[in-house]
Amino acid sequence: MRGMDLKKESAQVLCPPGCNTQQLSVYGDGVYAGVSSVCGAAHHRGVISSNGGPVSLRRLPGKQNYQAVLANGIQSQPLSKWSLSFSVSNHKLHKEDLRIHDICICLILAARRQKKTPEKSTGNKDCKAEIAFLIDGSNNIGQRRFNLQKNFVAKVALMLGIGTDGPHVGVVQASELPKTEFFLKNFTSAKDVMFAVKEINFKGGNSNIGKAVRHTAQTFFSIANGVRKGIPKVMVVFIDGWPSDNIEEAGIIAREYGINVFIVSVAPPSPEELGMVQDVAFIDKAVCKNNSFFSFHMPSWFGTTKYTKPLVQKLCTHEQLLCSKTCYNSVNIAFLIDGSSSIGDQNFRIMLDFITNVVRAFEVSDVGAKVAAVQFTYDQRLEFGLNDYATKEDVLRAIYNIPYMSGGTATGDAINFVLRSVFQPTRDGHNKNFLVLITDGQSYDDVRGPALAAHREGVTVYSVGVAWAPLDDLKDMASEPKNSHTFFSREFPGLEQIVPSIIRGICRDYLDSQK
């Protein structure tokens, strides 16, 4: 139950035990935004304990600047404005007070909720992105068109499929000075986002879009504000007319932060107005990439419904979000691990530590970097594939649990196995493929043919040899230039020193492939 569900000036609710273990949203301190959970606010205020109890509510006018405060184990969140507030206080519950419409719904479920239940996954998983809508609040747009802009943003938010496991959105208003209206973490349902957008007040002032883009790039997309690791970051910038400042430098900063900037332009300057524009090519210089994909034009704020779906389709096309692709989140890395008898248990664990330290550098997720591992002797064993694990933590756990095989050494067959079983199923993917091969000895079969096949398939091969691994074989398997893709250590502990070179090499090769 939220405060906004309160229809009377005052009421009493009964909060059950364990409500403080639920993920309840609370906005403010003392005076709470209407979108806040009643029982969450009561716990935050200290009116009730973990045992629950009766609470008195009083309806209050809306306000601005609800503060974020940690109190009684509950972290409230900031909110720029809401149309309704409420307060909570102690109440001694009498039998005559027990009216069904006044009792917190969670009381009905209290018996089932003694333990914290996992949050239900919601949202469009195929459009998982962190999206900042940077709306125009300048004098260029005016109050009437500002409201039409808000309506359009609300329609886009509804169609995106916002949810815990889908896209998350926030809003920044651009005017004389930028103002963050709400962050990604504040709302995880389209309904709440639409309410929050409706509550945004028009600021007015100059159209300092460049200042707002810089502000959003540098302060909005942080883990503290709700950014999830490995998820594409998108900034949708609405411009009515033209900016008052220069946005080229701000666009560069956004790209450096890995943010995909879209420009939605409305009512561009007429020929007689062009003399007032600092840079007529401001759109081309601000977007992620000047290829027409990141620019979107609407002739006016009237009749915008037909533009909603085309914009949403762009925002949800991950493979086109070029600026969020980095060497850390756009690669597939398969590790081919020698499990022959000459290695032994202790050295095998050192090899796994080497792999773990390489993986730690990358942003593993279902839309980011992917990792696979194959162990080989005369036979091959797929330890896990590229799509088996969607988080870095799960991948690291799987690496740690790889059991040592022991046997002979057939490296050529193992390379063919990786091409067939690891990379072949993902050949239509957009990540660049890398193979990191670790061996300590001479292969009993040919390695040149399989390695050439890997190179032809677009797989970049790094050869890492230890102890008795022949340098000629290592170079035969490695990609060009051989010297920068071949590594050797006389002893297994020396693998640790090779880790930074492998990471830098993968990033270098990835960047070269994007030219």
Side-chain angles (χ1 to χ4, degrees), residues 352-362 396 496 499 503:
L352 296 185
D353 289 342
F354 164 77
I355 295 169
T356 294
N357 290 331
V358 173
V359 172
R360 288 189 194 279
F362 294 89
L396 295 178
E496 182 180 356
V499 170
I503 296 169

Side-chain angles (χ1 to χ4, degrees), residues 70-299:
L70 176 63
N72 299 304
I74 302 290
Q75 175 65 62
S76 68
Q77 301 181 50
L79 193 61
S80 60
K81 181 179 181 293
W82 200 260
S83 58
L84 169 71
S85 304
F86 69 92
S87 63
V88 291
S89 60
N90 295 101
H91 176 77
K92 186 174 182 180
L93 193 66
H94 302 288
K95 289 183 179 180
E96 58 268 25
D97 292 325
L98 291 173
R99 303 182 183 94
I100 293 298
H101 64 272
D102 285 340
I103 297 179
C104 179
I105 293 173
C106 64
L107 176 63
I108 301 172
L109 303 176
R112 306 180 204 170
R113 293 190 177 178
Q114 295 303 309
K115 295 182 179 179
K116 183 175 180 179
T117 56
E119 188 175 8
K120 183 180 178 181
S121 294
T122 59
N124 180 7
K125 294 182 180 180
D126 294 328
C127 187
K128 189 180 289 188
E130 312 289 27
I131 304 174
F133 289 113
L134 202 161
I135 60 176
D136 191 338
S138 68
N139 290 334
N140 284 4
I141 193 170
Q143 179 71 66
R144 184 188 182 195
R145 296 203 302 274
F146 181 77
N147 290 335
L148 293 173
Q149 176 186 216
K150 291 198 299 180
N151 291 341
F152 179 70
V153 170
K155 286 184 284 189
V156 171
L158 182 62
M159 186 172 286
L160 280 170
I162 295 167
T164 56
D165 210 26
H168 291 178
V169 305
V171 173
V172 176
Q173 184 176 174
S175 57
E176 189 71 35
L177 295 173
K179 179 186 179 185
T180 300
E181 300 292 350
F182 57 89
F183 291 107
L184 297 164
K185 67 180 182 181
N186 291 143
F187 307 106
T188 54
S189 76
K191 180 180 177 181
D192 287 342
V193 168
M194 292 171 70
F195 271 121
V197 170
K198 181 181 178 182
E199 296 295 320
I200 296 174
N201 282 338
F202 174 60
K203 290 188 67 179
N206 286 329
S207 179
N208 289 334
I209 302 294
K211 187 178 292 185
V213 170
R214 180 196 293 263
H215 164 83
T216 306
Q218 294 178 331
T219 67
F220 184 89
F221 292 100
S222 69
I223 293 176
N225 292 335
V227 168
R228 296 163 290 179
K229 291 183 178 180
I231 307 300
K233 297 187 283 288
V234 177
M235 189 190 309
V236 184
V237 183
F238 294 92
I239 302 179
D240 188 295
W242 61 91
S244 303
D245 58 354
N246 189 300
I247 66 174
E248 180 179 5
E249 184 180 348
I252 294 172
I253 291 172
R255 290 191 289 274
E256 289 175 348
Y257 275 85
I259 299 167
N260 297 273
V261 176
F262 286 80
I263 299 290
V264 178
S265 60
V266 184
S270 62
E272 57 270 21
E273 294 173 324
L274 287 175
M276 305 170 61
V277 183
Q278 286 192 29
D279 188 347
V280 294
F282 66 87
I283 293 177
D284 296 341
K285 295 178 179 179
V287 292
C288 165
K289 196 172 185 66
N290 182 20
N291 61 358
S292 78
F293 180 80
F294 293 93
S295 55
F296 196 85
H297 176 69
M298 299 189 299

